[in-house]
């Protein structure tokens, strides 16, 4: 597998939803990106969509979650594995700091895995960007307007999100790049019709340490994307695993699916950063309702990174 890194430099605000419209996140999961790319593939033709989904299902093309970058520093999720700390970990302040930590700079990942990470001087993510609440009005009928609030996130200059694409050959990379370029104009996340989520796509330089860990085998692996084992893989995957579950839901974006907007079936997946002694394949799962006109797929295939500490 080959890997490329792409930076999303956003032109304005984004809305990556939680449960409510007035809430939001500063990053997004691989299933959100996959769904958006499927919509772009549909615009290119049904054959393109079928080819894209088949390549993903067969692991010829893989996606990571979209993670933060600040200037030239890339971050990955904090690995969900127990560490032997090389400093006094009895201090409650240090314990709380480790618990709150969400991301590790790629160039300090080895330090973190060795238990030597200086958590008290970790990057200040208040400098990453800021939330704002926007008020909009929904028109009902001819005269009645109903105000509502949208949670919006703005990235500070030089900051944004990055995506890792795994691919088997240049033809697949060209397809992924074309879909991402199209997506940059239409936007990602919610409220795209209002101009949210548009970005400039920039090819970034893959950090050498990250590339090595993506290619290396070892005794423990972390997934860089939301993922869910197939039923026959589940028992083996859970043995010795350390993970968090994430509920994924939302509405079907396709206008052809049903006369009115419908919800997708809920799916619980492993959060990026979950760690496993054994790899699994996962799948893309159909989360459509029985009344829909076509399948609706949710991405749940892992992109594996080795997370063993080395002296």
């Amino acid at each position: 597998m080959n890997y490329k890194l792409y930076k999303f430099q956003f032109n304005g605000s984004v809305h990556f939803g939680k449960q409510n419209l007035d809430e939001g996140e500063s990053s997004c999961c691989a299933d959100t990106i996959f769904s958006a790319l499927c919509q772009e593939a549909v615009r290119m033709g049904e054959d393109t969509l079928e080819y894209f989904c088949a390549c993903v299902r067969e692991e010829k093309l893989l996606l990571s979650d979209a993670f933060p970058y600040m200037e030239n520093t890339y971050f990955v999720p904090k690995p969900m594995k127990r560490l032997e700390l090389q400093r006094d970990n009895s201090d409650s302040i240090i314990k709380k700091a480790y618990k709150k930590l969400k991301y590790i700079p790629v160039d300090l990942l080895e330090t973190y895995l060795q238990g030597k990470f200086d958590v008290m001087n970790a990057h200040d993510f208040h400098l990453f960007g800021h939330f704002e609440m926007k008020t909009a009005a929904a028109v009902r009928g001819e005269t009645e307007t109903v105000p509502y609030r949208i949670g919006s996130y703005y990235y500070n200059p030089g900051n944004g999100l990055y995506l890792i694409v795994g691919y088997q050959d240049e033809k697949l990379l060209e397809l992924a790049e074309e879909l991402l370029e199209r997506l940059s104009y239409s936007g990602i996340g919610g409220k795209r019709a209002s101009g949210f989520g548009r970005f400039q796509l920039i090819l970034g330089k893959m950090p050498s340490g990250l590339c090595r860990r993506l290619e290396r085998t070892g005794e423990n692996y972390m997934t860089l994307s939301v993922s869910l084992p197939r039923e026959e893989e589940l028992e083996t995957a859970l043995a010795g695993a350390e993970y968090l579950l994430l509920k994924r839901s939302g509405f079907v974006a396709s206008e052809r699916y049903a006369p009115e907007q419908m919800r997708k079936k809920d799916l619980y997946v492993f959060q990026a950063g979950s760690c496993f002694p054994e790899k699994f394949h996962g799948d893309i799962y159909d989360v459509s309702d029985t009344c829909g006109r076509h399948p609706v797929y949710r991405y749940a295939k892992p992109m594996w990174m080795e997370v063993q500490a080395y002296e």
Side-chain angles (χ1 to χ4, degrees):
M1 184 72 74
N2 304 299
Y3 298 95
K4 289 284 187 181
L5 184 151
Y6 297 92
K7 298 165 73 172
F8 295 0
Q9 183 176 298
F10 289 93
N11 304 323
S13 61
V14 300
H15 175 74
F16 299 132
K18 284 188 175 181
Q19 293 296 321
N20 301 314
L21 190 60
D22 59 356
E23 299 176 319
E25 299 278 7
S26 59
S27 59
C28 73
C29 298
D31 56 354
T32 298
I33 298 169
F34 174 76
S35 296
L37 293 178
C38 283
Q39 293 175 50
E40 298 303 322
V42 167
R43 296 186 179 100
M44 294 174 65
E46 290 292 336
D47 290 345
T48 302
L49 175 63
E50 291 177 9
Y51 177 67
F52 174 65
C53 290
C55 290
V56 171
R57 184 177 285 110
E58 296 166 10
E59 297 180 9
K60 297 177 180 178
L61 191 65
L62 293 175
L63 306 171
S64 73
D65 282 12
F67 300 124
Y69 73 84
M70 297 176 67
E71 300 291 346
N72 295 316
T73 301
Y74 298 101
F75 295 83
V76 291
K78 176 182 71 175
M80 297 177 197
K81 58 179 293 185
R82 295 179 180 86
L83 300 176
E84 293 294 330
L85 300 182
Q86 301 299 311
R87 55 183 298 178
D88 181 15
N89 65 338
S90 62
D91 191 324
S92 62
I93 296 177
I94 293 177
K95 286 183 177 179
K96 289 179 181 177
Y98 266 101
K99 190 173 183 179
K100 288 176 61 179
L101 192 66
K102 290 183 66 177
Y103 296 104
I104 306 293
V106 168
D107 57 357
L108 293 178
L109 181 59
E110 182 65 37
T111 302
Y112 176 85
L113 293 170
Q114 292 175 359
K116 302 175 183 178
F117 184 70
D118 185 3
V119 69
M120 301 309 296
N121 290 302
H123 280 73
D124 185 359
F125 266 87
H126 290 98
L127 302 176
F128 184 52
H130 63 280
F131 278 104
E132 286 188 7
M133 197 68 67
K134 287 189 173 184
T135 301
V139 179
R140 295 180 178 174
E142 296 183 358
T143 57
E144 183 183 3
T145 59
V146 180
Y148 63 94
R149 297 188 301 172
I150 307 170
S152 310
Y153 194 85
Y154 289 85
Y155 301 93
N156 288 342
N159 303 340
L161 301 177
Y162 77 93
L163 169 76
I164 301 172
V165 175
Y167 62 99
Q168 279 196 354
D169 57 54
E170 293 298 322
K171 180 182 177 182
L172 292 175
L173 180 63
E174 289 175 7
L175 173 61
E177 287 184 341
E178 182 172 358
L179 292 174
L180 286 168
E181 191 67 42
R182 286 169 172 264
L183 182 62
S184 70
Y185 294 106
S186 55
I188 189 168
K191 293 298 176 183
R192 289 177 294 170
S194 301
F196 283 62
R198 294 172 186 168
F199 58 91
Q200 182 181 355
L201 184 68
I202 301 171
L203 179 63
K205 183 178 179 180
M206 178 77 76
S208 58
L210 178 58
C211 194
R212 283 195 299 270
R213 288 190 177 275
L214 286 166
E215 297 171 345
R216 195 157 57 190
T217 57
E219 299 176 356
N220 205 259
Y221 301 91
M222 178 176 82
T223 177
L224 292 178
S225 59
V226 288
S227 56
L228 180 65
R230 301 167 185 162
E231 186 175 350
E232 66 272 17
E233 298 177 309
L234 190 56
E235 184 177 352
T236 302
L238 289 176
E242 298 177 85
Y243 59 88
L244 285 177
L245 289 177
L246 189 65
K247 179 182 177 181
R248 303 298 290 163
S249 55
F251 290 91
V252 179
S254 170
E255 297 178 354
R256 299 184 296 110
Y257 180 73
E260 58 186 23
Q261 194 172 43
M262 305 288 291
R263 290 192 67 88
K264 302 175 185 178
K265 290 180 181 177
D266 294 340
L267 189 70
Y268 286 87
V269 296
F270 294 128
Q271 187 173 305
S274 297
C275 293
F276 303 86
E278 298 289 338
K279 293 181 179 181
F280 57 84
H281 294 283
D283 212 335
I284 54 175
Y285 294 92
D286 186 0
V287 291
S288 61
D289 193 274
T290 54
C291 66
R293 296 187 182 124
H294 58 74
V296 177
Y297 293 115
R298 186 173 290 283
Y299 185 96
K301 296 191 74 68
M303 178 179 285
W304 294 110
M305 184 179 79
E306 185 265 351
V307 283
Q308 183 176 332
Y310 295 88
E311 296 297 336

